[in-house]
């Protein structure tokens, strides 16, 4: 069996609705037909503080990033969607936009801008850059948003119209962790997003995902055509909302809200590998994200453990490595019950054999290495 990615084709025959679907919250099982590879924010996120130039190559969450990723053998791109004050869904990860005017740092929430103001930041289509973008890291440092290949900001509609149609979209519904949203505000934001999706989806493979439990629940209630996944770091960070603090809480939320799957920080999966069984028993799909997904061997291990797909930054390197792997199971000569997994790294690369005992050993010691 070749371990290769594929373009996922989802059934989108059911009509979408921007209102609440009037049936119950019955969970519909969803299984990816093959191991899937997703490009994080397109061709990979920008880490401006990193010495690795690959993390500062192409502007994340841009049309350029999406289309460069589309040229790689991947199935989806993942990107973050917020809604401006005047109701336009735009693609941007950070809650705040930063720039500088005569040496004074200026910050503003994306949702407090209208579309015209949002698009005025960073490089423009005419080549100007009147409002250079800055980025604030979690530790409070400010960096000039300088990448080798820059590109203007874009809207969700831009992505639908200008990115290869066969490439799937993992649309992350982005909300501020430090803001309490009322259900009416959440619903209006999701309505604005669904309006664009309804108009432009054209049977493109789409999944929704969100770290916000109530946003995930609402988008599930508002439509039945696209799978909804709950994003969690599985306890790697602790939040006031307990639903965000473990894989078991994520499973519980998915079952109660009729969601189709979980996207977990890979560290949480490796620390508690038995949770994979609980996810599967709950008839949920499981994807992972995180910097460890830029290590090919970690992706191989997750595949063997039953994870159904990964979100990665090193899109070119990981997609090429995955495309050149072949995984087969063979009977071990020592006994009928023992199976051996053979991973072939292309014709000219060495063959690596991983037995069940080795997988058990890896599962036991990986948590100690994290």
């Amino acid at each position: 069996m070749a371990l290769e990615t594929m373009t996922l084709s989802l059934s989108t025959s059911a009509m979408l609705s921007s209102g609440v679907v009037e049936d119950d919250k019955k969970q519909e099982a969803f299984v990816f037909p093959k191991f899937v590879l997703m490009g994080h924010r397109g061709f990979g996120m920008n880490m401006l503080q990193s010495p690795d130039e690959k993390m500062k190559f192409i502007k994340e969450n841009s049309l350029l990033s999406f289309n460069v990723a589309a040229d790689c053998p991947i199935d989806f791109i993942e990107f973050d969607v917020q809604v401006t004050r005047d109701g336009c869904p735009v693609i941007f990860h950070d809650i705040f936009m930063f720039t500088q005017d005569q040496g004074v740092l200026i910050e503003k929430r994306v949702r407090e801008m209208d579309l015209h103001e949002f698009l005025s930041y960073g490089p423009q289509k005419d080549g100007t850059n009147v409002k250079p973008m800055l980025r604030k890291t979690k530790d409070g440092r400010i960096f000039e948003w300088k990448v080798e290949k820059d590109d203007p900001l874009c809207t969700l509609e831009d992505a639908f119209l200008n990115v290869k149609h066969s490439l799937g979209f993992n649309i992350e519904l982005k909300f501020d962790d430090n803001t309490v949203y009322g259900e009416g505000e959440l619903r209006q934001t999701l309505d604005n997003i669904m309006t664009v999706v309804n108009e432009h989806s054209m049977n493109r493979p789409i999944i929704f995902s969100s770290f916000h439990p109530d946003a995930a629940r609402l988008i599930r209630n508002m439509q039945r055509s696209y799978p909804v996944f709950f994003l969690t770091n599985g306890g790697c960070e602790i939040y006031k909302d307990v639903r965000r603090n473990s894989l078991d809480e994520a499973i519980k939320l998915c079952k109660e809200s009729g969601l189709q799957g979980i996207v977990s920080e890979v560290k949480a999966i490796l620390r508690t590998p038995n949770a994979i069984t609980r996810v599967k028993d709950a008839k949920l799909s499981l994807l992972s994200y995180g910097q460890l997904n830029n290590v090919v061997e970690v992706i191989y291990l997750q595949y063997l453990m039953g994870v159904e797909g990964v979100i990665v930054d090193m899109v070119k390197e990981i997609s090429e490595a995955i495309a050149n792997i072949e995984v087969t199971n063979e009977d071990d000569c020592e006994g009928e019950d023992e199976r051996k997994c053979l991973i072939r790294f292309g014709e000219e690369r060495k063959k690596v054999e991983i037995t069940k005992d080795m997988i058990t050993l890896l599962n036991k010691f990986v948590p100690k290495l994290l």
Side-chain angles (χ1 to χ4, degrees):
M1 176 178 63
L3 175 57
E4 57 187 17
T5 59
M6 64 174 293
T7 300
L8 182 64
S9 178
L10 302 180
S11 172
T12 57
S13 58
M15 293 299 293
L16 294 174
S17 170
S18 60
V20 176
V21 177
E22 295 298 336
D23 59 358
D24 60 18
K25 295 182 180 179
K26 181 180 179 182
Q27 179 186 338
E28 298 171 6
F30 173 82
V31 179
F32 288 99
K34 220 168 187 182
F35 190 82
V36 295
L37 189 62
M38 302 186 180
H40 189 206
R41 306 181 199 172
F43 197 63
M45 68 179 290
N46 296 149
M47 292 186 65
L48 305 175
Q49 70 274 30
S50 173
D52 188 347
E53 294 302 316
K54 292 178 182 178
M55 305 302 289
K56 296 175 282 189
F57 180 45
I58 299 177
K59 181 72 151 289
E60 70 177 38
N61 278 336
S62 66
L63 294 179
L64 177 61
S65 182
F66 298 158
N67 284 314
V68 171
D71 288 336
C72 299
I74 66 172
D75 308 293
F76 280 79
I77 50 172
E78 178 273 351
F79 53 78
D80 313 271
V81 173
Q82 303 181 59
V83 174
T84 59
R85 182 176 58 188
D86 51 347
C88 183
V90 295
I91 299 177
F92 195 70
H93 173 270
D94 300 359
I95 298 299
F96 288 92
M97 180 78 76
F98 290 87
T99 190
Q100 191 168 290
D101 184 18
Q102 298 181 351
V104 178
L105 184 67
I106 299 172
E107 65 175 320
K108 194 167 186 179
R109 292 177 183 272
V110 171
R111 69 188 183 102
E112 293 174 351
M113 305 180 194
D114 59 27
L115 176 62
H116 177 76
E117 181 181 5
F118 172 78
L119 295 177
S120 71
Y121 285 83
Q124 302 296 297
K125 294 179 181 179
D126 63 5
T128 61
N129 192 347
V130 178
K131 293 182 180 178
M133 293 169 58
L134 306 176
R135 187 170 223 176
K136 189 175 185 179
T137 60
K138 286 186 176 181
D139 60 10
R141 290 180 293 166
I142 302 291
F143 291 87
E144 180 184 0
W145 205 319
K146 188 175 181 180
V147 294
E148 183 176 335
K149 295 185 177 182
D150 213 337
D151 204 41
L153 298 173
C154 67
T155 66
L156 178 59
E157 182 180 37
D158 290 334
F160 273 111
L161 295 177
N162 295 284
V163 177
K164 185 169 69 173
H165 184 74
S166 60
L167 186 65
F169 284 177
N170 175 356
I171 301 175
E172 180 184 337
L173 310 169
K174 190 76 174 181
F175 294 94
D176 184 4
D177 290 339
N178 299 311
T179 297
V180 177
Y181 298 88
E183 182 164 322
E185 184 176 8
L186 287 175
R187 189 180 301 281
Q188 182 60 58
T189 297
L190 299 178
D191 268 337
N192 289 329
I193 293 171
M194 284 306 307
T195 296
V196 176
V197 173
N198 282 338
E199 184 174 352
H200 297 291
S201 59
M202 298 291 291
N203 293 321
R204 181 189 294 271
I206 293 171
I207 67 173
F208 290 109
S209 60
S210 185
F211 282 103
H212 196 295
D214 294 319
R217 173 181 57 81
L218 279 172
I219 198 68
R220 170 60 177 159
N221 287 347
M222 292 165 66
Q223 56 82 42
R224 286 290 188 267
S225 294
Y226 306 112
V228 180
F229 282 60
F230 181 56
L231 272 159
T232 179
N233 61 31
C236 296
E237 295 180 48
I238 299 301
Y239 299 88
K240 291 181 180 179
D241 190 333
V242 297
R243 295 174 295 179
R244 301 184 60 181
N245 290 339
S246 71
L247 280 169
D248 284 330
E249 285 291 339
I251 293 170
K252 180 180 177 182
L253 174 72
C254 288
K255 293 179 69 174
E256 291 176 348
S257 303
L259 310 186
Q260 282 71 44
I262 295 170
V263 185
S264 172
E265 159 66 63
V266 59
K267 288 182 180 179
I269 293 173
L270 296 178
R271 285 171 176 166
T272 55
N274 290 336
I276 296 177
T277 301
R278 297 195 291 276
V279 171
K280 299 299 182 182
D281 288 345
K283 297 182 180 179
L284 298 170
S285 293
L286 180 63
L287 306 174
S288 74
Y289 74 93
Q291 292 188 41
L292 280 177
N293 277 351
N294 295 317
V295 180
V296 176
E297 290 79 5
V298 173
I299 293 177
Y300 299 157
L301 177 58
Q302 290 179 81
Y303 172 78
L304 295 174
M305 294 166 68
V307 176
E308 294 174 52
V310 291
I311 301 172
V312 305
D313 291 300
M314 301 297 184
V315 174
K316 183 176 185 296
E317 294 81 357
I318 297 298
S319 63
E320 289 177 352
I322 294 293
N324 288 329
I325 306 171
E326 184 175 318
V327 179
T328 60
N329 289 317
E330 295 183 0
D331 291 328
D332 187 82
C333 60
E334 296 179 2
E336 293 183 0
D337 294 333
E338 180 67 16
R339 304 284 290 179
K340 183 178 293 184
C341 185
L342 306 181
I343 301 180
R344 296 182 175 87
F345 295 76
E347 294 181 359
E348 298 181 357
R349 299 186 182 183
K350 64 180 181 179
K351 181 171 67 176
V352 178
E353 298 181 354
I354 301 180
T355 66
K356 284 184 177 179
D357 288 341
M358 291 173 66
I359 295 174
T360 301
L361 193 64
L362 282 169
N363 288 345
K364 181 177 180 180
F365 287 104
V366 162
K368 297 180 181 180
L369 301 175
L370 299 176

